[in-house]
Structures are given as structure tokens and as C-alpha cells.
């Protein structure tokens, strides 16, 4: 099937600006849906009216969530801003999907430990890091050897959500396990080098700036994939990190085995990290910094989770 020259031009812009592959895929899907919704008219011939009708269609007829509608809007805004140098202003009658007011699901320390203990290496270590450092799943998967600072008991998170860097805590209880994981990565890397390979996956701009880094051990992923694959943009064969679906599969099996009736995802461990810190008396601004939240209001949602426990309120039945 022939590729759309216009969509390929958007792909090139996304890659030039170093957006992630996942963001690239999502943006292109929503731009294509926007074009198809408007009977394949070229976006340069459309504007606010067509965008507002599309977003209203998503909210009213498709009944998408607010996050899905916002993703579609971000994709379309990106297209007009960078492909046509136009800033969009939504019309007042645009129907916006209402975000639900949800309280995050959290695990107690005992529940988290029960789940993790049912996992095999390296997944048990990966979830201990999620629970012990508050990283997002994608941030954990993108960790490289160089990002671990044993002396300062810190983890450097580069280009996290919002393309922001931050430092979070390396749990002392996992230090030996992390060192053992690094030794296993070294064995894999040495074998790859002996096979004439040994390349890791790097963003295109970084690979050009630091060509030596592709085979440098410190740039290898802490949790590498079991097989080598083709780099999605540069075409060379490399060892990427583990795929996120592997974590989800292992987690589902562990939760099922333990018998916990909560809806548990990898992100639940991040929520649990925050609530445990607050329950232990850690200042909320410190928690905000460790989580990488720009707005304190985002962190304050966890005070609602622990509020009933920290204020000493008892049920009338009790």
C-alpha cells in the first residue's frame, strides 16, 4: 500500500524533533482519522470549524475518554503548528469529554511485596524499582547502566513524561540485585561484541552526537531485550529494552496468583510509592519532585487517598 506523502512529511517532522516512536504512531493515527472524518480533504484547506466538529464527534458519538480526545487534539495542533505554521483556537461550541474524578488504586506494602514475590528475575527487580522509586513503566524500561548512581543511591530519569529530567531514589534494599543485573547485562553485551554486534538503541540525534555510545557498555539498557532487532529509524540492528507487554503479562499472572481483587497495573506501584511516602511523613513537595510532577495539584491527589487514615477518622459502625 502506498504511503501518504503528507503523513510521511509529518513523520519526518516528529523525528526531527525527537519525539518517541510511540508518540509518532499515535499522532499519525489521529491525523489520519481527522482527514478521513472530513472526507479526505487536505488539512491545509480546513481549520477550526473542522477540528471542532471532529472533537465533538469523538466526545458525543464515539464517547471517548478525555485523555483520548486530548491526544487527538494534541496531534492535530502539532500538525497545524509545525506543518502549516498555524495556531488553532477551538470554537466555543466544541464539546469536550469530561475527565472523570478518579482516586488512584494503591497497594499496601504487604500487598506489593506479595505480588512481587511471585515474580521471577528480572521482573521482580523491575517491580521493586517501580514501587521503591516511583518511576513510570516507560522510564524504568529506558533505564541505562549509566543512569544508576550507587554512591548517591540515586536513579537519573532522562526524558521522562513531558521530556523532563529528574532524579529519584535508588532503594538500598535492591542495590545488590541491581549490581547482579548489571553483571548479567555485561555478559550479554560481551557476547554481542564477540558476534560483531553490541549496539544499543539510541535516538537518532544522540547516535550522531555520540557515535561511540552505540557500543559503549554504560549506554546499554539495564533490562535489555532477549533478541536483537532493527532500529526503527536508523536501520542498524541493536539490542533494545524489554517490551512493555512482558511486564504486563507477568504482573497479571502474579496478581491472579496472589488473589488481590484490586485493578493493578504497573502504574499502581507508582501511586503506591507516593502514598507510602506521605504516610511516612515525607513532605509533599519532596514527593512532587521525586515523581516529576510540574503542578503540586497533581501530587495532592494522593492526600485524598490517605486522608481517611492520616486524620484518624473512624466509621460509625466501628
Amino acid at each position: 500500500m502506498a504511503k501518504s506523502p503528507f503523513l510521511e512529511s509529518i513523520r519526518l517532522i516528529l523525528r526531527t524533533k525527537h519525539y518517541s516512536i510511540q508518540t509518532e504512531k499515535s499522532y499519525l493515527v489521529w491525523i489520519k482519522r481527522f482527514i478521513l472524518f472530513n472526507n479526505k480533504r487536505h488539512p491545509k484547506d480546513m481549520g477550526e470549524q473542522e477540528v471542532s466538529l471532529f472533537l465533538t464527534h469523538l466526545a458525543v458519538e464515539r464517547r471517548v475518554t478525555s485523555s483520548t480526545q486530548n491526544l487527538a487534539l494534541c496531534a492535530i495542533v502539532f500538525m497545524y503548528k509545525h506543518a502549516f505554521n498555524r495556531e488553532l483556537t477551538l470554537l466555543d461550541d466544541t464539546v469536550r469529554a469530561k475527565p472523570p474524578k478518579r482516586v488512584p488504586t494503591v497497594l499496601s506494602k504487604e500487598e506489593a511485596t506479595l505480588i512481587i514475590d511471585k515474580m521471577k528475575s528480572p521482573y521482580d527487580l523491575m517491580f521493586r524499582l517501580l514501587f521503591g522509586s516511583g518511576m513510570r513503566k516507560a522510564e524504568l524500561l529506558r533505564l541505562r547502566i549509566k543512569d544508576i548512581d550507587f554512591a548517591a543511591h540515586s536513579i537519573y530519569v532522562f526524558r521522562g513524561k513531558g521530556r523532563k529530567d529528574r532524579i529519584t531514589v535508588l532503594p538500598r534494599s535492591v542495590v545488590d540485585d541491581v549490581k547482579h543485573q548489571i553483571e548479567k547485562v555485561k555478559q550479554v553485551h560481551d557476547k554481542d561484541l564477540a558476534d560483531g554486534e553490541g549496539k544499543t538503541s539510541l535516538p537518532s540525534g544522540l547516535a550522531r552526537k555520540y557515535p561511540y555510545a552505540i557500543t559503549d557498555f554504560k549506554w546499554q539498557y539495564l533490562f535489555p531485550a532477549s533478541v536483537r532487532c532493527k532500529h526503527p529509524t536508523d536501520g542498524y540492528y541493536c539490542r533494545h529494552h524489554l517490551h512493555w507487554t512482558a511486564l504486563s503479562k507477568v504482573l497479571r499472572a502474579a496478581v491472579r496468583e496472589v488473589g488481590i481483587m484490586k485493578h493493578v497495573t504497573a502504574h499502581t506501584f507508582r501511586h503506591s510509592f507516593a502514598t507510602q511516602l506521605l504516610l511516612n511523613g515525607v513532605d509533599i513537595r519532596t514527593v512532587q519532585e521525586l515523581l516529576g510532577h510540574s503542578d503540586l495539584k497533581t501530587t495532592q491527589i494522593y492526600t485524598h487517598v490517605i486522608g481517611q487514615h492520616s486524620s484518624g477518622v473512624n466509621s460509625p459502625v466501628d
Side-chain angles (χ1 to χ4, degrees), residues 125 145 148-151 153 170 174-186 217 222:
L125 173 59
I145 303 298
I148 309 297
D149 187 340
F150 291 108
H153 287 279
L170 171 66
V174 304
V175 166
D176 290 341
D177 291 334
V178 172
K179 289 181 177 179
H180 181 60
Q181 175 64 20
I182 291 176
E183 291 175 3
K184 291 196 291 185
V185 176
K186 185 69 166 64
F217 174 64
L222 181 60

Side-chain angles (χ1 to χ4, degrees), residues 56-120:
T56 299
H57 161 76
L58 293 178
V60 177
E61 298 181 33
R62 293 282 303 278
R63 297 183 180 180
V64 301
T65 63
S66 61
S67 59
T68 299
Q69 190 190 43
N70 284 333
L71 176 58
L73 176 59
C74 288
I76 295 169
V77 167
F78 177 91
M79 172 185 66
Y80 276 102
K81 180 178 180 180
H82 297 288
F84 305 116
N85 197 26
R86 286 172 57 185
E87 297 288 346
L88 291 180
T89 303
L90 285 184
L91 302 181
D92 293 336
D93 59 352
T94 304
V95 177
R96 301 301 300 272
K98 294 182 179 179
K101 294 183 178 180
R102 291 196 180 103
V103 175
T105 299
V106 298
L107 298 168
S108 66
K109 183 177 180 180
E110 292 73 20
E111 289 173 327
T113 302
L114 281 173
I115 293 172
I116 294 171
D117 286 345
K118 295 296 181 182
M119 300 176 181
K120 296 181 179 179

Side-chain angles (χ1 to χ4, degrees), residues 102-113 115 131 255 260-279 291 299 301-309:
R102 291 196 180 103
V103 175
T105 299
V106 298
L107 298 168
S108 66
K109 183 177 180 180
E110 292 73 20
E111 289 173 327
T113 302
I115 293 172
F131 183 47
V255 172
I260 291 177
M261 293 295 105
K262 297 177 180 179
H263 177 61
V264 181
T265 66
H267 210 71
T268 304
F269 290 84
R270 175 174 163 87
H271 295 322
S272 305
F273 165 81
T275 53
Q276 288 297 315
L277 289 185
L278 292 172
L279 283 169
L291 292 174
T299 316
I301 186 65
Y302 299 111
T303 62
H304 299 301
V305 179
I306 67 171
Q308 58 190 21
H309 306 292

